[in-house]
Each structure stands twice: as C-alpha cells, then as structure tokens.
Amino acid sequence: MAKYFDVHPENPQRRAIGRVVDIVRADGLIAYPTDSCFALGCQPGNKDGIDRIRSIRDLDNRHHFTLVCQNFAQLGQLVHINNPVFRALKASTPGSYTFILPATKEVPRRLLHPKKKTVGVRIPDHVTAQALLAELGEPLLSSTLLLPDEDEPLTQGWEIKERLDHVVDAVVDSGDCGTEPTTVIDFSSEVPEILRRGAGDTARFEEPQ
C-alpha cells in the first residue's frame, strides 16, 4: 500500500519531505504535485521505477521521459545547450515547460529517445516539488500522471491513492495543482518545435506571422 503524505502547500513539513525522499532513495515510485498537475517520479537509475511508470501509463520506448530539476545548474549537467537556447530556457524557468534537448553522458541510456538521443528536462515552479528536489539533491525522473484512455490527468491526492495504491509507494498531496500538463518544446533541431501546448505560454517560441 502507498503511504499518503498531506503536505502544507506553502510550508512543506521537513519531516514529511524527508520521509518521501527516503522512499525515493530506496527505489520507490512516488506520485507528487507540480505546477502543472501530478507526476510520477523516481530516481533516474531506478529501472524498476521506470518500468512501473511505463506500465501505469502504457508507454512505448519512444516516450520522452522528463528529468525534473531543482535549478539551472542541475539541468545544465544533463543536456547540451547553446547560447540562444540557454536564453530561451532561462526566460521560461522555473515554469510549466518541458524542453527536449540532446542528452549528455550523465543521463542513463535507457532514458533517451532511441533514435534522437534526447531527453526532456524541466524546472517546476511549485513549492512542494522544489522541496522534494532540494532534499533529494538530484533530478527526479518523471512523467505526467495521465492514465491510459483518460483525457485528463488525476488531480486529487486521495483519488490517486485509491486508484494506484498497489503500484506506487507514496502519494504526496499539497492541494490542487491544476489539470493542464506542461508545454513541450523540442530544441533538438535548429528551429524550436512545439510538441504539446499546455500550461506554459508558447508565444516566445513561435515565429512571427
């Protein structure tokens, strides 16, 4: 059964955050809130956790996993960024964006797109997510908590606990975090491509008409 953590949305209890991070470090899989709906998260090297995310979401090997980072320094170790891309990312983080970029050797091969060798990265603007990342000290491998054949992600902690009780190890609930997933921008080629329009404004990534 999944452990349930009711966390204050503005001042997350350090003890609760510490217990959640202990679960992550013990190869656990958690459901946690971000600035654009709940996500499933585990350590990047947790093969069982990755397999469970694939199973819960019914994902194939072309799915771009996201490495959720605490800050830009952490993000910069995972992906190759040139100056124009750096400026675009810096202006949009933290926020409800996921960026697809060529991965560095720091990223486990199993997380990469099989052909492009890319990975998703993002920095959330959410107090509880940031508290978890700060305590963990490394990125969380994550994927939006959107179940197969459902149009919208799960938004209530108690419902996630009820429906995923035997497939996740912890549910972190700090209140409403919205239903709209991140906007996904692919920076792996010369011209940015908007792969998904979500919670983040796409205006700065679009060519003037």
Side-chain angles (χ1 to χ4, degrees), residues 11 16 24 26 33 47 53 56 67 81 94 96 106 128 180 189 193:
N11 297 292
V24 173
K47 185 179 182 301
I53 292 174
I56 291 166
L67 291 166
I81 308 174
S96 300
E106 296 290 318
T128 301
E180 201 169 11
S189 56
E193 182 184 357

Side-chain angles (χ1 to χ4, degrees), residues 6-205:
D6 189 3
V7 176
H8 194 281
E10 295 172 9
N11 297 292
Q13 302 93 318
R14 290 191 64 183
R15 186 165 178 266
I17 294 297
R19 289 176 63 197
V20 175
V21 167
D22 286 344
I23 290 169
V24 173
R25 287 182 178 142
D27 284 342
L29 176 63
I30 65 170
Y32 72 100
T34 76
D35 49 348
S36 54
C37 59
F38 275 86
L40 296 164
C42 66
Q43 285 187 302
N46 181 353
K47 185 179 182 301
D48 174 66
I50 296 166
D51 290 343
R52 281 198 275 166
I53 292 174
R54 287 192 189 279
S55 175
I56 291 166
R57 293 208 51 204
D58 192 22
L59 301 172
D60 62 26
N61 67 355
R62 294 185 304 276
H63 176 74
H64 267 114
F65 281 108
T66 299
L67 291 166
V68 178
C69 303
Q70 182 190 358
N71 51 39
F72 225 89
Q74 207 173 63
L75 184 149
Q77 295 174 2
L78 304 171
V79 288
H80 296 288
I81 308 174
N82 62 29
N83 285 337
V85 172
F86 175 86
R87 288 192 292 271
L89 267 63
K90 196 75 172 170
S92 308
T93 53
S96 300
Y97 296 92
T98 298
F99 302 103
I100 308 299
L101 286 156
T104 67
K105 292 180 180 178
E106 296 290 318
V107 181
R109 183 173 293 181
R110 72 170 68 94
L111 305 186
L112 305 182
H113 187 284
K115 289 184 178 178
K116 296 181 177 181
K117 308 304 180 193
T118 50
V119 71
V121 287
R122 90 180 202 86
I123 302 172
D125 187 12
H126 190 278
V127 172
T128 301
Q130 280 288 341
L132 288 168
L133 292 164
E135 181 71 18
L136 183 61
E138 66 174 322
L140 266 173
L141 173 92
S142 296
S143 185
T144 303
L145 212 176
L146 179 63
L147 299 181
D149 302 320
E150 296 197 11
D151 294 329
E152 290 195 346
L154 297 177
T155 60
Q156 303 293 328
W158 62 266
E159 184 184 8
I160 293 167
K161 160 79 169 154
E162 203 171 73
R163 295 182 63 177
L164 301 181
D165 203 23
H166 296 289
V167 289
V168 302
D169 300 296
V171 176
V172 184
D173 189 358
S174 60
D176 182 34
C177 60
T179 61
E180 201 169 11
T182 58
T183 290
V184 181
I185 315 287
D186 187 344
F187 276 107
S188 63
S189 56
E190 288 185 16
V191 179
E193 182 184 357
I194 300 167
L195 301 185
R196 180 177 70 197
R197 294 176 188 274
D201 183 13
T202 59
R204 68 165 58 96
F205 304 105

